[in-house]
Amino acid sequence: MYKPFSQADYKPSNKPKALYLRKSKKSAGKTEKETIESHLKRLTDFCKEQGWNDYVIYNDYVAKSTNVNRVEYKKMLKACLDGKHDLIIVVEESRLYRTVNEQTNVYEELKGTDIAILSIREGYIFPNDRNQFLTNIIRGAMNQQELENFAYRMNVKVLASAKEGIYVNKPPFGYFKDKDKLVPHPIESKTFRYIVDKVLKGYVIAEIIGQLNQLGYTTKSNKKWKDAGTITRMLANRVYLGESHYYSKMFNEDVIVRDTHQPLLTIEEFQKVNSMIRSRSRNPQGIRYTKINTVLDRLVVCGICGSRLPIHKSWTNKEGVTSYQVGKCQKIIGEYNEKKCPNKSISLKELLPHFYNSIESYREGIREEIKSVDLDTTNDKKIMFMNQIKDIKTRIAEIESEIANAKSYLIKGILTEADYVSMIPPLERDLKELNVSLEDRERLLGSLTEYDRRTVIQSTIDSLNNIENESIDTQNRIYRVLFESLELINTEDEFEIRLKEKNDVS
């Protein structure tokens, strides 16, 4: 049990006392800072009442209520173990530790010392008193339960607020919060528009940064602009279209509410600005294209969105053996480009057994094909290209019809201008890509010469025999000759890999 301060025989030494504060739940009508200051006043007033005028304040003001990784907290523990303090004073015990694991770690750290904890609300706590140990741990479990319940309630509340259209994230550059609603900042919004206008005029981000600093425009934290990535990410944020986005990690739920505040960008400007930025990038997907010494180098793509997935070094052990990781997909997907692709990263060591199993299945499949079908001319390939050309022409006609209908609906007022603008560019982009594909297929069809498909398939089988014993470079070369890509799906709910053959093999 606690030993109330008034009843305890313990007399602390003359060493400086350690006063610890942690951000607590905001009191009604008070700011977070005012709540912290009220706790600090209680601690300092208590020390003055006891005649303890020598103390050191450790304040984890910046920590979140549910965050147990506290810098000042660790700093205080180190000072205690170094002999600078022998008494830690808090308003209540739950301010000091909130999980049983953290509590037992502290007790273990303080084992064999004479350090005591004084909670103004509860009394003295002696971590080295074996008679208190069990009750202390029970209280720790209750504190942890309180933390988890509080975190759950807060997440439920925030998620509900987000669904109501209340902006629950930190206000982005260009806005400030007024009663949970975003309002254009009188100065920052003008700076934002300056950036947008400069991009639309063709200036690169580096030039714009120089102009911003020369004119005295600062960031939200009143610092000079220096990172081009900051501006690029800012211009890709759909909050400037008047949309509120919130993702709940606890409930794995995306919330998107439109028209919640005044936009600073039109949809036309948003698409044009981001298109201009992407077109300037030498590597728009951020993919690592340097040679990586693996059998799957430059082969792995996302099976959900088709983006190439990078392979990078993970770590090297003491024997010099390097491990590799296939990175997670960074593509933004969704009807409104509002969420990240769910494909996760995976170690190459974990992926390769599945890949080799697929290779064996592929090899068996083409063995069966060469046994059961008499293939001797280019007819199969010609038919394949002719079918592809037919499908592409059908899709081109469909898109052209969609564009014509959209224009008609716009004129009749059935479709809003904003919806029309968001609909047409993707359709025109698809139309352009389809016309290029059509031209390529027609060119390939016209260039076909007679060949023996049986020979091609047999050559493929031969190249895959005992391939796992070949060098990494040889394996990678053969795989890249045979396959367009390895399509990987690795999400919370699904794992699948698919080998996509090149046209001249299938």
Side-chain angles (χ1 to χ4, degrees), residues 173-240:
F173 182 83
Y175 290 99
F176 68 91
K177 257 186 177 182
D178 182 22
K179 297 180 180 179
D180 296 323
K181 185 174 182 180
L182 288 184
V183 177
H185 191 285
I187 297 175
E188 291 179 7
S189 60
K190 292 180 180 178
T191 306
F192 178 82
R193 284 303 317 180
Y194 178 87
I195 294 171
V196 172
D197 292 341
K198 287 295 181 180
V199 172
L200 292 174
K201 289 179 181 178
Y203 288 88
V204 299
I205 302 297
E207 292 175 318
I208 297 172
I209 287 175
Q211 294 172 6
L212 289 170
N213 292 330
Q214 188 175 10
L215 293 171
Y217 293 138
T218 61
T219 64
K220 203 168 192 66
S221 56
N222 292 320
K223 295 180 180 179
K224 288 185 176 181
W225 296 87
K226 61 179 181 179
D227 185 12
T230 299
I231 292 180
T232 301
R233 289 188 296 272
M234 181 175 70
L235 294 173
N237 192 342
R238 296 180 69 90
V239 71
Y240 297 106

Side-chain angles (χ1 to χ4, degrees), residues 66 107 114 120 138 140 176 180 201 243 258 277 281 295 322 345 368 376 389 438 463 474 490:
T66 56
Y107 283 13
D114 58 355
I120 295 178
I138 292 173
F176 68 91
D180 296 323
K201 289 179 181 178
E243 300 178 4
R258 295 179 177 83
I277 291 174
S281 173
V295 298
T322 300
S345 63
E368 291 301 316
D376 55 0
I389 289 171
L438 178 62
S463 68
T474 300
N490 181 35

Side-chain angles (χ1 to χ4, degrees), residues 445-495:
L445 180 62
S447 65
L448 284 179
T449 55
E450 296 293 320
Y451 79 112
D452 186 351
R453 177 164 167 75
R454 181 187 294 274
T455 302
V456 173
I457 294 179
Q458 187 59 56
S459 176
T460 302
I461 294 173
D462 294 341
S463 68
L464 292 176
N465 285 331
N466 300 316
I467 191 169
E468 293 181 48
N469 297 322
E470 298 288 347
S471 68
I472 289 175
D473 282 337
T474 300
Q475 287 190 57
N476 182 243
R477 178 180 56 78
I478 292 173
Y479 294 143
R480 288 173 65 183
V481 167
L482 295 176
F483 304 114
E484 186 72 34
S485 62
L486 167 66
E487 296 178 344
L488 170 66
I489 298 178
N490 181 35
T491 67
E492 292 288 345
D493 305 316
E494 184 180 3
F495 179 85

